[in-house]
């Protein structure tokens, strides 16, 4: 890797922070509750019992997570796990599929691997919970809480392998990256509209744009930016029979699509305290929780 080598990794992550002002005393966390909507970047086990290829409750996934394989699409913590810790929560937010006995008042993780905005997105991999389904689950949880209280994608290794143009000089699939930018712009417009139309709620988007270079102080030396940490099988996921790399803290991607814990930590800290106004709109999480 030459000293002038440089590439960009664009990870689009949306954290929806639900700050509900119920009549109870807030504890140590900076916000009373955290609700998470998303796909495999945030899934913590909702797909484990579904008929789908997008299911990772097996090694090498979870090899560095305290509880082992849980259904998280990486070797350790996800970005939302780390953000949960930054916000001061004692425990990780439980997946919707495993909320029995959980304190749902503190939040629920609805994210589902291979899910998308449209119901049909990701169906080629099997069952999942689309955004519409996640919202329905949230409505059920809010009803339960009320009763209790009284009331980016084109730069992923797999996409480059499947759709990249050899000899183009680019490490990203430009068509997919451009589409992600269009989506992110529309998402910002939606957040602005929701903040205007729903003055009693606060919305923000976190667009983690990480520029990866050899000189980046947040990365180990050397950082593996163009390979994955495990033997990739179907759909870009880790082969359960394969051994993951030993130096996982040096890799950007664990499998063909999902970042390592090292990248997740960078994204979570940038979400909480954005070093650049382009990361958060209209504000980062540290400012959101103070409202």
């Amino acid at each position: 890797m030459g000293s002038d080598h440089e590439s960009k990794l664009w990870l689009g992550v949306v954290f929806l922070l639900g700050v509900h002002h119920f009549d109870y005393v807030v504890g140590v966390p900076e916000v009373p509750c955290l609700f998470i909507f998303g796909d495999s970047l945030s899934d913590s086990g909702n797909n484990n019992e579904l008929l789908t290829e997008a299911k990772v409750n097996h090694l090498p996934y979870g090899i560095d997570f305290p509880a082992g394989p849980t259904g998280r699409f990486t070797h350790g913590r996800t970005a939302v796990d780390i953000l949960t810790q930054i916000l001061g929560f004692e425990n990780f937010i439980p997946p919707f599929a495993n909320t029995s006995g959980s304190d749902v008042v503190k939040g629920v993780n609805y994210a589902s691997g291979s899910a998308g905005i449209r119901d049909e997105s990701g169906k080629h991999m099997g069952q999942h919970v689309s955004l519409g389904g996640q919202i329905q689950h949230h409505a059920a949880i809010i009803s339960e809480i009320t009763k209790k209280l009284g009331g980016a994608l084109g730069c992923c290794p797999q996409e480059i392998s499947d759709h990249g143009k050899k000899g183009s000089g680019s490490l990203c699939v430009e068509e997919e990256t451009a589409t992600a930018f269009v989506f992110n712009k529309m998402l910002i417009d939606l957040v602005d509209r929701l903040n205007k139309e729903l003055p009693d709620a606060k919305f923000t988007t976190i667009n983690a744009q990480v520029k990866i270079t050899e000189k980046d102080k947040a990365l180990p030396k050397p950082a593996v930016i163009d390979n994955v940490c495990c033997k990739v099988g179907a759909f870009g996921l880790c082969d359960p029979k394969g051994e993951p790399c030993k130096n996982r803290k040096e890799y950007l991607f664990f499998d063909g699509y999902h970042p390592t814990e090292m990248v997740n930590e960078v994204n979570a800290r940038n979400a909480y305290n954005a070093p650049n106004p382009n990361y958060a709109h209209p504000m980062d999480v540290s400012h959101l929780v103070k409202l």
Side-chain angles (χ1 to χ4, degrees):
M1 188 183 300
S3 60
D4 60 344
H5 184 87
E6 176 177 299
S7 67
K8 293 181 180 179
L9 169 63
W10 301 95
L11 294 175
V13 183
V14 178
F15 300 104
L16 295 185
L17 188 65
V19 185
H20 295 269
H21 298 284
F22 298 121
D23 294 326
Y24 66 96
V25 178
V26 178
V28 174
E30 295 187 48
V31 293
C33 51
L34 180 65
F35 295 100
I36 302 158
F37 303 81
D39 55 14
S40 54
L41 291 174
S42 304
D43 191 349
S44 59
N46 284 311
N47 277 22
N48 289 350
E49 302 303 322
L50 300 182
L51 297 176
T52 177
E53 295 291 336
K55 178 163 48 179
V56 293
N57 53 341
H58 56 73
L59 292 172
Y61 294 94
I63 191 171
D64 295 314
F65 191 75
T70 58
R72 287 168 167 82
F73 286 71
T74 186
H75 61 99
R77 299 168 296 167
T78 65
V80 292
D81 287 332
I82 298 167
L83 182 60
T84 299
Q85 292 177 320
I86 292 173
L87 287 169
F89 284 87
E90 182 178 357
N91 300 308
F92 295 123
I93 303 301
F96 176 82
N98 191 31
T99 55
S100 177
S102 300
D103 188 2
V104 295
V105 171
K106 294 183 178 179
V108 176
N109 185 338
Y110 306 102
S112 173
S114 82
I117 301 293
R118 299 173 64 90
D119 290 343
E120 62 268 26
S121 298
K123 280 194 173 180
H124 64 288
M125 299 186 71
Q127 294 178 330
H128 66 263
V129 184
S130 67
L131 178 60
Q134 293 177 37
I135 293 174
Q136 290 177 0
H137 286 169
H138 184 54
I141 289 294
I142 291 299
S143 177
E144 182 178 341
I145 290 174
T146 301
K147 290 179 182 178
K148 285 186 175 183
L149 299 178
L153 192 58
C155 295
C156 294
Q158 192 65 32
E159 290 301 303
I160 296 170
S161 174
D162 292 344
H163 306 294
K165 298 177 182 178
K166 294 182 178 180
S168 66
S170 173
L171 292 181
C172 299
V173 182
E174 298 300 334
E175 294 85 353
E176 294 184 6
T177 301
T179 302
F181 281 127
V182 173
F183 174 82
N184 288 342
K185 175 60 171 62
M186 295 176 67
L187 184 62
I188 289 173
D189 294 340
L190 174 61
V191 165
D192 287 339
R193 181 165 62 85
L194 290 174
N195 280 325
K196 182 178 180 180
E197 295 178 356
L198 302 171
D200 292 332
K202 297 297 178 185
F203 297 85
T204 191
T205 68
I206 304 298
N207 182 20
Q209 302 176 356
V210 185
K211 185 177 182 180
I212 302 301
T213 74
E214 279 190 326
K215 298 179 181 180
D216 196 322
K217 295 180 180 180
L219 297 178
K221 306 296 186 293
V224 181
I225 66 175
D226 54 1
N227 207 342
V228 297
C229 188
C230 70
K231 179 182 178 182
V232 174
F235 300 106
L237 302 178
C238 293
D239 185 342
K241 297 180 180 179
E243 290 288 332
C245 64
K246 301 296 183 182
N247 53 336
R248 292 181 287 278
K249 291 185 178 180
E250 297 180 6
Y251 279 71
L252 266 63
F253 283 92
F254 187 60
D255 62 15
Y257 288 105
H258 305 97
T260 58
E261 184 180 72
M262 179 268 292
V263 175
N264 285 335
E265 181 154 6
V266 171
N267 286 335
R269 294 192 181 279
N270 286 343
Y272 184 77
N273 189 11
N276 186 302
N278 291 328
Y279 278 83
H281 180 87
M283 67 195 79
D284 60 26
V285 174
S286 68
H287 288 85
L288 179 66
V289 300
K290 294 177 182 178
L291 294 178

